[in-house]
Amino acid sequence: NAGVTQTPKFRILKIGQSMTLQCTQDMNHNYMYWYRQDPGMGLKLIYYSVGAGITDKGEVPNGYNVSRSTTEDFPLRLELAAPSQTSVYFCASTDNMSRGISYGYTFGSGTRLTVV
Amino acid sequence: GENVEQHPSTLSVQEGDSAVIKCTYSDSASNYFPWYKQELGKRPQLIIDIRSNVGEKKDQRIAVTLNKTAKHFSLHITETQPEDSAVYFCAASVQTGANNLFFGTGTRLTVIP
């Protein structure tokens, strides 16, 4: 089991450029999430998905888009990058909550993005 | 939405002493409270969690207490070691639906040898 895999690990973007952050998990988790972590701050939820074909906005969705065409993959798209999007991005997944079993989130290793 | 506050933001203790980190939450429907440890440049890792039907949970040197009436929960680390140095995050969620976690702003713990 690789767990949650994120690519790339680092990226520098110019203002106005676009990119996709990749996230894939091999644990057959239904629930997947994208968070951003700014220096000295906690994690803020960008988007989440409760299953293939279903996505919804979190606390800070502006400037981002997601898709969930398969259970395994949950890419995050940045359109027209802005300096305010400089952050570390974490993808996470967890098991189906309706079974009442939770072992917490499994996080990917993160993507450090700088917009200049 | 849920608002989680965490204190202190930094904490320094001598090796062998205890450390306590406190969090409060706003949504009375929250019923799951995990704690994550994040070492520098690494991903957050779950270290302990507690559900609302339990008041205390312990795992070796780590314990978490929950007061649902007051809406606060705390992490206790005993006999601290230098490898406990990291940033600790508390979080809260309602374990139905999407189970979105709302995180505190973190506590940087430094254990001085």
Side-chain angles (χ1 to χ4, degrees), chain A residues 25 28-33 48-51 68 71 74 92-99 105, chain B residues 96-100:
Chain A
Q25 52 93 7
N28 201 33
H29 284 172
N30 286 330
Y31 293 72
M32 296 187 74
Y33 312 85
Y48 65 96
S49 169
V50 300
R68 185 93 183 272
T71 299
F74 190 40
S93 72
T94 194
D95 213 344
N96 190 329
M97 291 303 106
S98 66
R99 295 206 299 270
Y105 285 10
Chain B
T96 57
N99 191 42
N100 294 339

Side-chain angles (χ1 to χ4, degrees), chain B residues 31-50:
Chain B
N31 56 8
Y32 174 66
F33 308 93
W35 286 87
Y36 286 83
K37 176 183 180 182
Q38 186 178 32
E39 297 175 348
L40 189 63
K42 300 290 182 62
R43 73 192 78 188
Q45 301 266 18
L46 177 70
I47 56 171
I48 195 167
D49 58 11
I50 192 168

Side-chain angles (χ1 to χ4, degrees), chain A:
Chain A
N1 267 357
V4 178
T5 302
Q6 284 184 242
T7 56
K9 293 190 183 303
F10 305 93
R11 183 73 185 268
I12 298 175
L13 277 183
K14 293 185 178 179
I15 294 171
Q17 287 185 322
S18 300
M19 76 165 294
T20 299
L21 282 66
Q22 301 292 344
C23 176
T24 187
Q25 52 93 7
D26 61 359
M27 299 171 286
N28 201 33
H29 284 172
N30 286 330
Y31 293 72
M32 296 187 74
Y33 312 85
W34 275 104
Y35 284 85
R36 59 177 287 173
Q37 184 177 30
D38 298 328
M41 301 295 289
L43 290 88
K44 294 291 187 183
L45 181 65
I46 305 171
Y47 269 94
Y48 65 96
S49 169
V50 300
I54 306 170
T55 63
D56 209 344
K57 297 178 181 178
E59 302 169 89
V60 290
N62 291 344
Y64 307 95
N65 271 302
V66 294
S67 60
R68 185 93 183 272
S69 57
T70 67
T71 299
E72 295 78 20
D73 300 307
F74 190 40
L76 177 71
R77 178 81 177 164
L78 278 72
E79 304 282 1
L80 300 174
S84 61
Q85 293 178 303
T86 294
S87 190
V88 179
Y89 292 83
F90 287 100
C91 179
S93 72
T94 194
D95 213 344
N96 190 329
M97 291 303 106
S98 66
R99 295 206 299 270
I101 299 171
S102 169
Y103 300 100
Y105 285 10
T106 299
F107 281 91
S109 57
T111 296
R112 186 175 296 275
L113 175 67
T114 302
V115 181
V116 297

